[in-house]
Amino acid sequence: MDDLNNLPKTYNPKTVEKRWYDYWLEKGYFAPAEELTREPFSIVMPPPNVTGSLHLGHALNNTLQDILIRWRRMQGYSVLWLPGTDHAGIATQARVEESLAQQGISRHDLGREAFLEKVWEWKNLYGSTITNQLKMLGASCDWSRERFTMDEGCSRAVREVFVRLFEKGLIYRGDYIINWCPRCHTTISDIEVEHIESEGNLYYIKYPFQDGEGYLTVATTRPETMLGDTGVAVNPADERYREHIGKNVVLPILGRVIPVIADDYVDVEFGTGALKVTPAHDPNDFEMSMRHNLPPVVVINPDGTMSDEAGPYRGLDRYECRRRIVEDLREQGYLLKVENHSHAVGHCYRCNTVIEPMISKQWFVKMKPLAEPAIERVLEGDTVFVPGRFTKIYINWLENIRDWCISRQLWWGHRIPVWYCECGEMLCSREDPEVCPHCNSSALTQDPDVLDTWFSSALWPFSTMGWPEDTRDLARFYPTSVLVTGRDIIFFWVARMIFSGLEFMKEVPFYDVMIHGLILDAQGRKMSKSLGNGIDPIEVIEQYGADTLRFSLITGTTPGNDVRFYMDKVENTRNFANKVWNASRFVIMNVDDYERIELLDSDFELADRWILHRLCVTNREVTRFLEQYEIGEAARTLYDFIWDDFCDWYVELAKSRLYRPEKPRERKVAQNILVLVLKDTLKMLHPFMPFITEEIFQHLPEATESIMIEPWPDNERFYQPQAEEDMRLLIQVIRAIRNIRNEFNIPPGMKIPVQIVTADREKAAKIIKNRGYAENMANLREITVSDSQDTRPLQALSAYLVDIEILVPVEGVIDVEKEIARLRKELQATEQDIKRLESKLNNQGFISKAPPEVVEKERTRQKENLEKREGILKRLQTLNG
C-alpha cells in the first residue's frame, strides 16, 4: 500500500493520468496475453483521419471500445485492440492544398511526385496528434500493432484485393453517371452525397412539337441542364400523353429535335407528368437513355462551367447560366410559369458544394455478387447488429445497391494498379510492370486515379492483421469480436467490411456490430462550427480529467440512439469522481492498522450482509449490461451503487464500529468489509474511469501491481436477498424521519424521540433489532416501537409507510407558533411568485418572443412553486391540527 500521505485531500487528474498511462505502457499491459489457453477478444479501432484531431464523436467511440476492452481483459481474455489511422484521401489532400495555397502554390505547380512528398511531410508532422490525444483519453490499445491505411502492408493488401476482383471480372472500367464535386474535382460515391432539403423553383417550359401542332409542358428544377436534353419521357399509362408517344419536339433555344418516349420511371404526379431526359447529367435519365438508346450530351464541365455543347452559354458558371436561360425562355415565350419548390439537393459531404451528376470514365466494383452473401450471412445471424433495427437498414441498402464507383481524381491515396500501353493493351498487376507483355514496350502509363478511401478501409479487419499472409494474428483474432461504430457509417464502412471479409477471408469480419448515435448539444442539435456549440474534448480533459470526460460521455447512452452532451454533465461527473475519492480516502485513513481476517457468519451485521448483497447484485447487473452493450446502463448501475449504497449508507453506518477501540474485532470486521467492497467496486469502475481507480487502488491494503490486470469481481457468494429486504425497511424508516426533520426545520444537531406504530410483528422486530442504525443516521434520542395507538402523543408530526406510522412528538421539538408564522410567510412569498409567473406565462408576447429554453425554464419554476405551495399547506394543516 502506498504511503497515505501521497493521497491528497482532493483528486488532481493532472498529477495522475500521464503517470499511470506511461506505467501501463511500460509494463506492456495493452498487448494480448500470450497464453493460447485464453479465449481471444478483439476489436479493430475505426481509424480516424491521420491528420485529424480528437472530437467528441471519437472520444465517445473510443471510450465505448476501451470499456469493453478493459472489462474483457479483466475477465481473463487474451485481448487485442488494434489501433490505426486512415489516410483520408479527399480530406488530407484538401488540407495540404489549402496550406500550399497560402504560399501561392498549387499542386499542379509542384507536380504529382513533389506534391505527394508534401503530403507525406504533412502526415509525419501532424499524424501523431490524434493518437497522442487517444492516449490522453486512456485508450488501452496495443500501440505496437498500430497501422496506417497506406503503410506497406495495407497497401499490399489493397493491391491484392484490386487484382483479385479485376481477375474475377468484378472490377470494370466504363462510362457511367457519377457524382462529381466541382470544388474537390473528384467523384464521390452515392453514400458520400448529403441530400439537403433546399428551397428552389420549378420552371414550366414549352417544348413545341416538330410538326408545329401544339407543345408539351415540361417542369424542371434545373433549366440549365435542358441544353443537354435528348428526349422527353412520359409514362405509358398516362392517358394525357399516349397519342404523343413517338412524336418529336423541338428543344427551345438550341432547336435540337428530340423524341417523346414512354418509360415506366416517369412519375405522373410530378410536375406535368412530362419529364425532360438529360442522360449526361442525371442518373435516372442516364438509365432511361440506356433503355431507349438516347445519346448523352455533356453541357457542364468538371469545374462547374458550361461546355461548348451549351451553345450561347458556353463558359458561364452553371448558376449564371440558369439565370440567363430563364431570362431567354421568358423573352422567347417558352417559360409558362415558375413555382416555389422545396426539394432535396445533393451536396458533397466534404466541402458542402452542390454535386453535379456527370458521365465519366471511372472504375467500378460489381456489387450484386458481393452483396448477396453479405445479406445472407447477416440474416443467418453470423453478424448481429445492436440494436437489431439496424439490420433492416443494412439489408435494405444492400438489396438496392448500385455498382460502387471506386476511382477518385486525386493524387493522395492508393493509385489504381492499372497501366496502359501505346499498343492499346491494359495491364492490371500486383507488381509495377516494366514492359508490356503484348508488345514488349516500356512506354507504360499508370492510371492517374486513386482508389476511394473506403476501398482500403473496407479491408481494415484483416489487412491490419497481415493479410494476404496467413499470420498468427489472423488465425487467433479474426473474426473480431465486435465493431463499435456510429450509425452514420453503416453504409460507408460496415457493409463494405462485411462483403470484403466474406470475399477474401470467407468469414464475417466481426460477430457483433455495436451502433452508437451522434453527440448532440443540450438542445438536441448537432454540434457544428456554424452553431458555435462544439465542445473540445481535449479542453475538457485538461480541465476535468479524462475519467470525467469518459463517464460524462457514456452517461445516458443507449445503443443506436443519439446522446446529449453538455457541461452540466461534466460537472456532475466531476462531483461523482470527488465522491469516490473522498469515500476512498476515508476508508484508507481508517485502515492504517488493517489486518486481513477470516470473517465468520457471526461477525456480520445486517448492514454488512446488505452491502455485500448489493455488491453482488451490482456485479451481476454491470456484467449483464456490458454483455448486452448497454454501457450507459452499466455506468448508471455503478453510479447508483457507489453514491447511494456505499457512500451515503454503508460508509456512514460503518463509522460507529471504526471509532470503537474498545471492540477491536468489530473494527477489524468493518475494515475488512470496507476494503473488500471498495476494491471490487473500483475494479468494476475501472473500465469506465481507469485513472482514478488505479490511483486509489494502489493506496489500499494488499494492492497488486495494477488494477488493470486484476480479475473481474465475482461476488455470487454474497447473494442474500433477505438482507436487502430487511435493510430496505430500515432505510425507508430513516428517510421518513429525515424528511420530517427537513420539512419542519428541526435543527440537524437536535436529538429527537421517535415513536413507531405497527401491527406487523416481523417488521417491528427488525426495527427494534437494528434501532441503532436509525438512532445514528437520523440523530434520535430514542426510538420506541409499539403495536398500539394508545401511547400516541397528543400532537405529533407523522409519516406513513406500508403498515407503519412514524411519529415525532411536537412538544419540545419545535415551537409550533413560530413555525406556523414562518410557514405562512413562506406561503405568501410563494403565492406571489405563482401569480407573477402565471401572468408571464399567459402573456403571448413573452411566449412568442422569448427563447424556447427560457419559456420552458419558467414553466418548470411554476410547477415547482405549485408543488411547494401544496407542501406548505400540508405542513400548516399538520401543525394546526
Side-chain angles (χ1 to χ4, degrees), residues 221-388:
T221 58
R222 302 190 62 204
E224 68 277 12
T225 62
M226 67 179 288
L227 303 169
D229 287 359
T230 55
V232 173
V234 297
N235 193 299
D238 193 336
E239 294 182 0
R240 294 173 296 173
Y241 301 117
R242 192 169 291 165
E243 63 180 290
H244 301 307
I245 295 169
K247 290 184 178 182
N248 292 328
V249 293
V250 178
L251 183 64
I253 299 177
L254 294 186
R256 182 187 303 138
V257 176
I258 57 177
V260 178
I261 62 170
D263 197 286
D264 290 328
Y265 167 75
V266 179
D267 180 0
V268 298
E269 300 295 330
F270 179 77
T272 63
L275 183 72
K276 60 192 280 304
V277 182
T278 319
H281 297 287
D282 183 279
N284 298 307
D285 292 4
F286 178 81
E287 298 289 347
M288 271 196 288
S289 74
M290 300 291 283
R291 293 192 288 271
H292 298 278
N293 200 27
L294 299 178
V297 177
V298 177
V299 295
I300 300 177
N301 293 318
D303 63 359
T305 61
M306 305 308 292
S307 74
D308 290 345
E309 294 285 357
Y313 308 100
R314 70 175 60 87
L316 292 177
D317 173 79
R318 52 184 171 162
Y319 296 114
E320 176 60 18
C321 175
R322 179 182 298 180
R323 189 184 68 78
R324 295 260 195 102
I325 206 168
V326 169
E327 282 182 5
D328 293 343
L329 289 168
R330 186 177 283 114
E331 285 179 8
Q332 297 176 33
Y334 291 113
L335 186 64
L336 292 172
K337 63 177 178 175
V338 180
E339 291 180 347
N340 293 332
H341 180 65
S342 178
H343 61 132
V345 177
H347 289 68
C348 173
Y349 80 113
R350 285 290 179 195
C351 69
N352 208 37
T353 301
V354 174
I355 62 101
E356 195 60 60
M358 284 188 171
I359 283 184
S360 175
K361 198 170 283 295
Q362 301 287 340
W363 288 95
F364 295 87
V365 175
K366 288 182 183 175
M367 283 311 306
K368 192 173 181 184
L370 296 171
E372 287 173 350
I375 293 170
E376 182 182 335
R377 295 292 288 272
V378 168
L379 288 175
E380 289 173 353
D382 294 345
T383 291
V384 176
F385 283 82
V386 180

Side-chain angles (χ1 to χ4, degrees), residues 81 118 161 223 225 303 385 409 445 452 561 623 760 844 875:
W81 184 14
K118 291 288 185 187
V161 164
T225 62
D303 63 359
F385 283 82
Q409 289 64 53
T445 304
D452 178 8
N561 295 324
T623 304
D760 188 319
Q844 288 305 310
R875 292 199 292 277

